Amino acid sequence: MSRARPPPLVTGISPKEGAAWTKVTIRGENLGTGPADLIGLSICGHNCMLTAEWMSASKIVCRVGPAKDDKGEIIVTTKSGGLGTSTVSFKLLRPDRIGILDQSAVWVDEFNYYDMRTDRNKGISPLSLRPSNPLGIEKDKGKVPQKDIEQIFPGMSGDFTSENFSATWYLIENHTGSSFDQLKIAANHLKKQATKKNEGSLSYVKGGLSTFFEAQDALAAIHQRLESDGTEKVEGSMTQRLENILNRASDTADTLFQEVLGRKDKADSTRNALNVLQRFKFLFNLPLNIERNIQKGDYDVVINDYEKAKSLFGNTEVPVFKKVYAEVETRIGALRSLLLEKLLQTPSTLHDQKRYIRYLSDLHASGDPAWQCIYAQHKWILQLMQDCRDEFLSGQRGGVRALDLEGDTRPPTLSRLSHTSSLNRGGSLRSSRPNTWRFETPQLVQFVEKLSDVVIGQLPNFWKLWISYVNGSLFSETGEKSGQVEKSKKNARQRQNDFKKMIEELTNRLVRLIRGALLPTTLPQAELSLYGGWEGKSELTGAWLTQIIHTVRGCHEALSALEIPNDLLQVISDLLLDLRVHCLMMTLLHTTEDVKRLAVKEDWVVDNEGITSLPYHFEQCVVQMLQSFKEPLETKQGEINVLQLDQVQDQAAELIVTIMTAFINCLEQLSVKTDADMNVSRNISVDLSSPDRFTAVHQDFSPTSEQRLLIILSNCQYLERRTFLNLADHFEKHGFTGTEKITRVTVDAVRELDRKLFEAYIERRADPIVGSLEPGIYAGYFDWRDCQTPTGVRNYLKEALVSIIAVHAEVFTVSKDLVPRVLSRIVRSVADEMCRLMQCVSSFSKNGALQARLELCALRDAVATYINPDSNTSFKLALEALPQLHSGGDKKLLEELLNKFKSSMHLQLTCFQSSNIQPVKR
């Protein structure tokens, strides 16, 4: 869209140069149709619309503003013509500043010469003025420290306006790097300045010469009138009238301008006050800002503002500044106390502790906040450990924590090792439990776990705080890095022994508390009142002690990972060794008690080998005990094998022997129980479907005392042959020494029990058979010297054989391996008795001798399988006591009668023949 008028064009400006706020007249073409059409005017880039006055389309009047550019175009913008152009330019003059020592006929606003000192180590004086550069060359400040210059020029100053001004100080401070040629130029500049000053005074007088003449004429006229009138001060004289006129003029002036001047003075003082408040509002607002930032927790902002205020106003002499700065110091003092309180407050995180220590260091707090924090943390951890013991002893623990065998619900502070099999110690002694079965964790175990959690939760941060204190990283983020770090390292070196004692006290407290709960006998009597008091608690089993060992071992490993010196952790290592030994011994003792209770597990059900489940239960009990030793016997780095200690080896061997002998005693107790004491739920049963079984045994037959003796004898043989050897191998695999001695002692003990039980059984079974022989022989007033011709073996011998067959059946039902041993002993007893009876006969008739020989031969042939050398000798001596058979008829009759006996009792005598029949038991 085309414009209605052409763009403005500036063709002239008058004057063409001038200082800021100079009034200028702008001429040109198309400068607008009216004041409302003029929308923009800039000179040297400065907007002059506020002072622009539109005169006509070719003339505008305005004042030049303080533009940035020294020279620039005049641009006019109108609504009708838009942005214009210029063919001329305006030069903005920069007026020279009048120095504080320069003469001037007009008032100079000294406000422009107030300047804040840049040296932050010195205070600010609002009246301190800085002169202009007297040398007229560029300043080149050196790096000479201020303190060194003050030592070189004591009592002097580099301030140009000071009475003790030192030119050398000024040159060192401001022109250290200036060359000699530049200094020569500076000297010439000083000379010009001095000449200019003198000429300036003369020109100042010349410029006001007419004023001086007028004043001189006025003073001369006044002097002439006074001389003509007289100089006496009398009433009506000119002098008096002049004085009165001047006084009235003064009073009139005061009346006219007193209120105005008063308001002006008040306004000036108000402006000055506002000016000071505005210029130093940072200081005046600082107390309130500090309070607000403290409430918000912005301690970094408070510290930065305080450092700034301290550098600017720390050494000020202005009373109002000193008063405000004192209030700032009061607020900072309160902040120091607050931060120290937060630092020593427990519990707190390591991050917060480091932060508060840095804040206190930045605020230049007295003392050593880092060490105060370390000391407070040390006392707090000690108190936590002691409170843990007191809490458990006072019964304030809410209920004990339940633990499921299928899932560990203990807190995850330490990774706990699951010992399901070991917790179910002696599983063969207990009926199987459902998965929902739960039990209560003993308070001693909870106490050790809680105590370990306290140590592992607090001691690492305590150690890291000390490490940060030693290497100075506590102050790595502060302003005074190097100085504060070196100071921290120095303090840490001085307190190394103190901190070492703190760590020793913490570890010793941990060890003593655990010893007081688990190993009170290892503590001195004087310390039991502080760390003991657990006498009323039940004794822990080996499984719980194993868990405690795992907990303490985890605590030791966690502290070792912090690179704490091993000598400070040695007490924990010693505690672990004692706990492992204690766990070993207590497990052996508890296993002994479990073995003693194994008698209730005897069900008297024998298997094919003639043994019950009791030896198996015993072996499983010992094997599970050895499996529970995995944690106590495991040797971690830096630990020793407890089984390498001679004392531990001896004690363990004695307790193992005790376990073995306890089981042997258990068997002996079972052997002496009467039928009234037995409450057997299951009986010896026979598999009727097996062709290798005797069907004569009743299915509901209960074991008699003699059968129990046989079963225990069979178990004894199995112990000697299998169980003890297997257990010896298990003990050797787990590192136990002296197994040969253990095996030898236990085998001797079981053999002794076997001998006693065997003798008891033989006594019960052989004595009735032997006792029935003599009455049977002489039944019916039988006489060897007067008897009829033999017709066969008499009934007493058959009854004795049937009794022996019954013993054979009884023994065979339990264990085939016992049959030869038992029957050989019974046959021997019968043979000895027959030999005695035959030798006691004074004489035999022919028929008597034949009858005796028939019965001896029948008995010998029937039990020939179980005749040993002793019984064979007895039979020979018995036969030798008989008269010899000389006739062939007697011998033939003897043979016929023997064959008849064997034929008639063939079925009964079959059991005495060798057989591979294996008894099948249920």
Side-chain angles (χ1 to χ4, degrees):
M1 184 174 63
S2 60
R3 297 187 184 91
R5 295 176 61 85
L9 175 63
V10 176
T11 58
I13 186 171
S14 177
K16 294 183 178 181
E17 61 181 13
W21 309 116
T22 300
K23 187 175 182 179
V24 296
T25 300
I26 301 172
R27 298 185 182 276
E29 301 174 358
N30 304 318
L31 298 183
T33 59
D37 191 41
L38 181 65
I39 61 175
L41 174 61
S42 64
I43 300 176
C44 296
H46 180 74
N47 189 357
C48 301
M49 276 298 296
L50 292 177
T51 60
E53 184 181 357
W54 186 87
M55 306 300 293
S56 66
S58 59
K59 180 179 179 181
I60 297 175
V61 178
C62 70
R63 290 186 179 273
V64 180
K68 295 182 179 180
D69 299 331
D70 293 340
K71 188 174 183 180
E73 296 180 341
I74 300 92
I75 303 300
V76 178
T77 305
T78 62
K79 291 182 181 180
S80 59
L83 183 65
T85 58
S86 174
T87 59
V88 295
S89 61
F90 183 81
K91 183 179 181 181
L92 185 64
L93 300 179
R94 304 290 183 182
D96 293 335
R97 284 188 175 183
I98 301 175
I100 58 174
L101 302 180
D102 297 339
Q103 294 181 354
S104 175
V106 298
W107 174 255
V108 178
D109 186 5
E110 294 184 354
F111 173 78
N112 294 329
Y113 295 93
Y114 283 75
D115 193 7
M116 294 173 58
R117 306 184 68 173
T118 57
D119 189 355
R120 300 180 66 177
N121 294 323
K122 295 183 179 181
I124 295 178
S125 174
L127 301 178
S128 61
L129 305 176
R130 177 168 295 176
S132 59
N133 184 7
L135 299 183
I137 61 176
E138 184 179 359
K139 292 185 178 181
D140 186 4
K141 293 183 176 292
K143 298 181 179 180
V144 181
Q146 187 76 15
K147 294 182 178 179
D148 295 345
I149 300 177
E150 292 176 356
Q151 293 178 359
I152 297 174
F153 303 99
M156 306 301 289
S157 173
D159 187 359
F160 198 78
T161 61
S162 175
E163 296 180 357
N164 301 325
F165 171 72
S166 172
T168 307
W169 183 327
Y170 181 83
L171 291 176
I172 293 175
E173 185 177 17
N174 297 284
H175 298 282
T176 302
S178 300
S179 63
F180 182 71
D181 294 336
Q182 290 177 325
L183 293 178
K184 291 170 66 176
I185 295 173
N188 294 330
H189 178 75
L190 283 176
K191 293 179 180 179
K192 291 180 180 179
Q193 289 293 326
T195 303
K196 183 178 179 181
K197 181 178 180 181
N198 295 332
E199 292 176 352
S201 299
L202 183 59
S203 60
Y204 173 74
V205 173
K206 290 181 178 179
L209 190 58
S210 59
T211 304
F212 284 108
F213 289 158
E214 291 176 359
Q216 176 65 27
D217 293 341
L219 290 174
I222 293 172
H223 184 264
Q224 186 176 2
R225 291 289 302 272
L226 289 174
E227 284 184 345
S228 61
D229 189 62
T231 58
E232 295 82 1
K233 186 178 179 181
V234 295
E235 186 66 29
S237 65
M238 182 179 178
T239 304
Q240 183 64 41
R241 291 196 305 273
L242 181 59
E243 181 180 3
N244 294 334
I245 292 172
L246 291 176
N247 288 334
R248 287 195 302 272
S250 177
D251 294 339
T252 303
D254 291 340
T255 303
L256 292 175
F257 297 102
Q258 184 173 11
E259 184 178 356
V260 176
L261 293 177
R263 288 198 303 269
K264 180 181 181 299
D265 292 340
K266 185 176 181 180
D268 290 342
S269 62
T270 302
R271 279 195 299 270
N272 290 334
L274 292 175
N275 184 32
V276 172
L277 289 175
Q278 182 65 27
R279 291 186 59 192
F280 302 102
K281 64 180 179 179
F282 165 73
L283 177 62
F284 294 115
N285 294 335
L286 188 56
L288 181 59
N289 290 337
I290 289 176
E291 192 69 28
R292 291 175 178 174
N293 290 325
I294 290 177
Q295 293 178 358
K296 293 190 295 184
D298 295 337
Y299 303 122
D300 291 314
V301 177
V302 175
I303 293 173
N304 291 334
D305 290 346
Y306 173 66
E307 287 293 331
K308 181 178 179 182
K310 184 177 181 181
S311 64
L312 294 175
F313 305 99
N315 298 324
T316 183
E317 297 297 332
V318 180
V320 65
F321 292 166
K322 292 177 67 174
K323 182 179 180 180
V324 177
Y325 184 75
E327 180 65 21
V328 171
E329 286 289 356
T330 302
R331 302 293 176 90
I332 294 299
L335 177 60
R336 292 191 188 104
S337 301
L338 175 63
L339 292 176
L340 184 60
E341 180 182 353
K342 288 181 174 291
L343 175 63
L344 302 182
Q345 184 179 359
T346 53
S348 61
T349 63
L350 179 63
H351 173 73
D352 289 340
Q353 291 170 357
K354 290 184 176 181
R355 191 159 56 94
Y356 293 141
I357 290 173
R358 291 189 182 115
Y359 290 155
L360 289 170
S361 175
D362 292 343
L363 292 175
H364 308 286
S366 59
D368 191 346
W371 180 253
Q372 289 178 304
C373 179
I374 291 174
Y375 183 80
Q377 287 294 310
H378 167 250
K379 292 298 182 184
W380 181 63
I381 297 174
L382 288 177
Q383 189 61 43
L384 278 181
M385 296 166 68
Q386 198 67 32
D387 290 345
C388 181
R389 166 189 172 271
D390 298 340
E391 180 182 2
F392 276 92
L393 287 181
S394 61
Q396 294 177 359
R397 294 290 291 176
V400 290
R401 185 175 63 254
L403 181 68
D404 194 340
L405 284 179
E406 298 298 325
D408 193 348
T409 60
R410 289 188 296 270
T413 305
L414 284 175
S415 176
R416 310 295 186 193
L417 182 63
S418 175
H419 288 288
T420 302
S421 60
S422 61
L423 287 178
N424 190 14
R425 181 180 52 80
S428 59
L429 304 181
R430 302 178 176 92
S431 60
S432 60
R433 302 182 177 94
N435 293 335
T436 57
W437 181 85
R438 302 173 74 86
F439 61 93
E440 293 181 343
T441 305
Q443 280 200 343
L444 285 174
V445 180
Q446 294 187 54
F447 165 67
V448 175
E449 290 181 351
K450 177 68 175 178
L451 190 62
S452 298
D453 290 344
V454 169
V455 174
I456 295 178
Q458 302 300 327
L459 196 54
N461 287 339
F462 181 67
W463 177 262
K464 292 176 183 177
L465 180 63
W466 165 255
I467 294 300
S468 300
Y469 182 59
V470 170
N471 58 30
S473 60
L474 280 176
F475 312 99
S476 60
E477 298 179 7
T478 60
E480 312 118 323
K481 290 183 181 179
S482 59
Q484 195 63 33
V485 167
E486 292 302 323
K487 180 181 179 181
S488 172
K489 291 181 178 179
K490 181 180 178 181
N491 292 338
R493 286 193 297 268
Q494 295 175 351
R495 294 185 169 121
Q496 280 183 349
N497 292 333
D498 295 336
F499 184 77
K500 183 178 180 181
K501 292 179 180 178
M502 289 182 179
I503 295 294
E504 289 177 348
E505 187 176 1
L506 289 173
T507 53
N508 286 331
R509 179 68 60 87
L510 170 67
V511 169
R512 290 192 180 102
L513 287 172
I514 297 179
R515 286 186 182 275
L518 303 175
L519 306 170
T521 57
T522 61
L523 287 178
Q525 190 66 29
E527 296 182 355
L528 287 177
S529 60
L530 292 175
Y531 308 112
W534 301 86
E535 292 77 8
K537 306 301 179 182
S538 59
E539 193 176 60
L540 295 179
T541 62
W544 291 118
L545 288 173
T546 299
Q547 181 171 326
I548 288 176
I549 290 173
H550 181 75
T551 301
V552 177
R553 185 172 274 165
C555 180
H556 182 269
E557 291 175 353
L559 297 182
S560 298
L562 298 175
E563 299 182 355
I564 297 178
N566 292 331
D567 58 331
L568 298 179
L569 302 179
Q570 185 60 39
V571 290
I572 302 181
S573 300
D574 296 341
L575 172 65
L576 270 174
L577 178 61
D578 292 345
L579 285 176
R580 291 163 63 199
V581 174
H582 180 65
C583 177
L584 179 65
M585 300 306 168
M586 293 304 299
T587 303
L588 291 173
L589 288 174
H590 291 153
T591 304
T592 303
E593 298 300 322
D594 291 341
V595 169
K596 291 179 180 179
R597 293 190 292 268
L598 278 176
V600 299
K601 300 295 292 182
E602 181 58 276
D603 53 9
W604 305 106
V605 178
V606 296
D607 60 9
N608 291 340
E609 296 184 8
I611 62 171
T612 63
S613 61
L614 197 60
Y616 171 77
H617 289 323
F618 169 66
E619 183 175 352
Q620 287 299 110
C621 181
V622 176
V623 169
Q624 289 180 3
M625 175 196 72
L626 293 175
Q627 290 175 350
S628 68
F629 286 157
K630 179 180 179 182
E631 180 88 11
L633 295 182
E634 184 180 6
T635 304
K636 299 286 187 178
Q637 183 179 2
E639 298 179 352
I640 63 175
N641 189 351
V642 295
L643 295 178
Q644 292 179 351
L645 302 176
D646 295 338
Q647 185 178 1
V648 175
Q649 288 181 5
D650 297 340
Q651 293 179 357
E654 292 177 1
L655 291 175
I656 291 172
V657 171
T658 304
I659 293 173
M660 302 295 190
T661 55
F663 184 65
I664 295 173
N665 294 335
C666 175
L667 295 177
E668 186 175 6
Q669 292 173 4
L670 288 173
S671 68
V672 298
K673 285 187 176 181
T674 62
D675 293 340
D677 297 331
M678 300 300 296
N679 185 15
V680 182
S681 60
R682 300 181 63 185
N683 302 324
I684 299 178
S685 58
V686 181
D687 189 358
L688 299 179
S689 64
S690 174
D692 300 327
R693 302 303 299 156
F694 293 102
T695 58
V697 182
H698 196 276
Q699 190 170 8
D700 295 331
F701 180 72
S702 299
T704 62
S705 60
E706 290 78 9
Q707 289 174 326
R708 292 197 297 270
L709 287 174
L710 289 173
I711 293 173
I712 296 173
L713 278 173
S714 179
N715 285 340
C716 288
Q717 289 187 349
Y718 184 81
L719 288 176
E720 181 181 351
R721 188 173 64 252
R722 293 273 189 88
T723 304
F724 288 161
L725 296 179
N726 292 342
L727 292 180
D729 293 338
H730 284 295
F731 282 122
E732 289 182 355
K733 290 179 181 178
H734 284 81
F736 286 88
T737 58
T739 54
E740 295 180 358
K741 178 182 177 181
I742 296 172
T743 304
R744 183 175 66 254
V745 173
T746 53
V747 167
D748 291 343
V750 78
R751 285 177 178 175
E752 178 63 22
L753 176 62
D754 178 85
R755 185 191 63 79
K756 293 169 59 177
L757 298 179
F758 183 75
E759 293 296 335
Y761 182 78
I762 294 300
E763 182 180 355
R764 294 186 183 187
R765 289 306 185 198
D767 287 354
I769 298 174
V770 172
S772 66
L773 292 177
E774 185 173 1
I777 290 175
Y778 297 103
Y781 300 101
F782 178 81
D783 189 358
W784 294 108
R785 295 172 294 183
D786 182 16
C787 61
Q788 298 177 359
T789 303
T791 58
V793 177
R794 288 185 292 172
N795 289 334
Y796 83 91
L797 187 60
K798 294 179 180 179
E799 291 176 356
L801 287 174
V802 170
S803 298
I804 295 175
I805 291 172
V807 174
H808 179 282
E810 184 180 58
V811 176
F812 188 84
T813 304
V814 175
S815 174
K816 179 185 176 182
D817 296 336
L818 286 175
V819 172
R821 180 184 178 192
V822 174
L823 290 189
S824 296
R825 182 64 179 274
I826 293 178
V827 168
R828 173 188 168 186
S829 299
V830 173
D832 291 343
E833 181 65 15
M834 291 297 291
C835 177
R836 185 188 68 82
L837 292 174
M838 293 300 106
Q839 290 176 346
C840 290
V841 178
S842 58
S843 62
F844 291 90
S845 65
K846 178 182 177 182
N847 291 333
L850 182 60
Q851 184 70 41
R853 190 173 293 275
L854 171 63
E855 293 174 352
L856 285 174
C857 290
L859 178 60
R860 183 189 63 185
D861 293 345
V863 296
T865 305
Y866 303 105
I867 293 178
N868 56 24
D870 293 335
S871 57
N872 189 36
T873 302
S874 298
F875 278 117
K876 286 183 178 181
L877 293 175
L879 290 172
E880 290 175 355
L882 301 178
Q884 297 295 324
L885 296 179
H886 298 288
S887 64
D890 294 338
K891 293 181 179 180
K892 184 177 180 180
L893 179 60
L894 176 62
E895 184 175 354
E896 290 177 356
L897 292 175
L898 282 175
N899 290 334
K900 179 182 177 181
F901 167 75
K902 293 178 181 178
S903 176
S904 63
M905 295 192 67
H906 174 74
L907 180 61
Q908 289 83 355
L909 298 180
T910 303
C911 68
F912 293 134
Q913 298 177 1
S914 299
S915 174
N916 293 326
I917 296 177
Q918 293 291 337
V920 179
K921 309 293 190 300
R922 290 188 301 172

